[in-house]
Amino acid sequence: RNPPSPQPILLPPAHAASARKIPTEFGKLTLATKLRIDDNELTGTVPTELGLLVKLATNFRLDTNQLSGVIPTELGQLTGVTSNRFDLSDNELCADVPTEVQALSSSITSNWEVTTSNSIGTMCEFVDDARFDIPTTETRLSYSGDDLTGTIPTEFGLLTGLTYVTLGSNDLTGTIP
């Protein structure tokens, strides 16, 4: 018996707007060939889990929302997106475009939009994550024993002024940014 054919992820604007944030669970939709959730007034950061959608082939569209923070390096794993559109424009993204994501631009045949109407190249003002909301000027940070789960947001790498960090006694996974 053959596995089911990959299906695109297409959300109507009314559904996505009510959610406001992109669910990290979208990263579990590993058979998806298209992700199009543009123009939905979404807020928050781009989940690193979207880098797991390696079967995407024609569309990766998060444009025209209100997404903020850095572009996750994990999006560089979306090497299958070679036609149609890779679009993060018209958001509030900041910092530099990761090298891993820049590398994708050479294989996209049309509509590579990442920097347009974003604050690329400028320092992010906040680490904005469901678990963290931290000014980048903070020097001390303690979330020890706060029952945190998942990965440490890549935006932590932007907190260059930190002199003291403790995240112990949690259930965090992945690499330290």
Side-chain angles (χ1 to χ4, degrees), residues 96-128:
D96 292 325
V97 178
T99 305
E100 297 86 344
V101 176
Q102 288 178 21
L104 295 176
S105 67
S106 63
S107 62
I108 307 291
T109 57
S110 63
N111 295 312
W112 166 263
E113 291 286 337
V114 174
T115 59
T116 306
S117 296
N118 280 310
S119 296
I120 301 299
T122 64
M123 185 151 192
C124 298
E125 293 181 26
F126 283 89
V127 169
D128 182 16

Side-chain angles (χ1 to χ4, degrees), residues 49-72:
E49 291 84 354
L50 295 184
L52 298 172
L53 302 177
V54 296
K55 299 261 187 204
L56 294 182
T58 60
N59 271 301
F60 180 81
R61 291 194 57 188
L62 306 180
D63 57 287
T64 319
N65 284 295
Q66 297 163 15
L67 299 170
S68 59
V70 300
I71 298 170

Side-chain angles (χ1 to χ4, degrees), residues 17-153:
S18 66
R20 301 289 294 159
K21 293 187 183 241
I22 300 171
T24 58
E25 291 81 10
F26 273 21
K28 295 178 181 176
L29 301 170
T30 56
L31 295 179
T33 58
K34 182 185 291 190
L35 177 68
R36 184 173 176 185
I37 49 178
D38 54 305
D39 201 11
N40 281 296
E41 300 178 15
L42 295 169
T43 61
T45 58
V46 177
T48 59
E49 291 84 354
L50 295 184
L52 298 172
L53 302 177
V54 296
K55 299 261 187 204
L56 294 182
T58 60
N59 271 301
F60 180 81
R61 291 194 57 188
L62 306 180
D63 57 287
T64 319
N65 284 295
Q66 297 163 15
L67 299 170
S68 59
V70 300
I71 298 170
T73 58
E74 291 83 355
L75 297 186
Q77 298 172 51
L78 303 179
T79 57
V81 181
T82 57
S83 64
N84 212 347
R85 201 164 189 167
F86 186 98
D87 199 339
L88 297 170
S89 67
D90 296 307
N91 281 291
E92 298 165 13
L93 300 169
C94 53
D96 292 325
V97 178
T99 305
E100 297 86 344
V101 176
Q102 288 178 21
L104 295 176
S105 67
S106 63
S107 62
I108 307 291
T109 57
S110 63
N111 295 312
W112 166 263
E113 291 286 337
V114 174
T115 59
T116 306
S117 296
N118 280 310
S119 296
I120 301 299
T122 64
M123 185 151 192
C124 298
E125 293 181 26
F126 283 89
V127 169
D128 182 16
D129 183 273
R131 302 158 295 162
F132 306 98
D133 190 13
I134 306 163
T136 56
T137 56
E138 193 66 48
T139 59
R140 297 178 58 83
L141 181 65
S142 178
Y143 282 97
S144 183
D146 284 349
D147 295 321
L148 299 175
T149 60
T151 59
I152 300 170

Side-chain angles (χ1 to χ4, degrees), residues 134 138-144 156 159-168:
I134 306 163
E138 193 66 48
T139 59
R140 297 178 58 83
L141 181 65
S142 178
Y143 282 97
S144 183
F156 265 58
L159 300 174
T160 57
L162 285 177
T163 57
Y164 174 82
V165 178
T166 178
L167 298 170

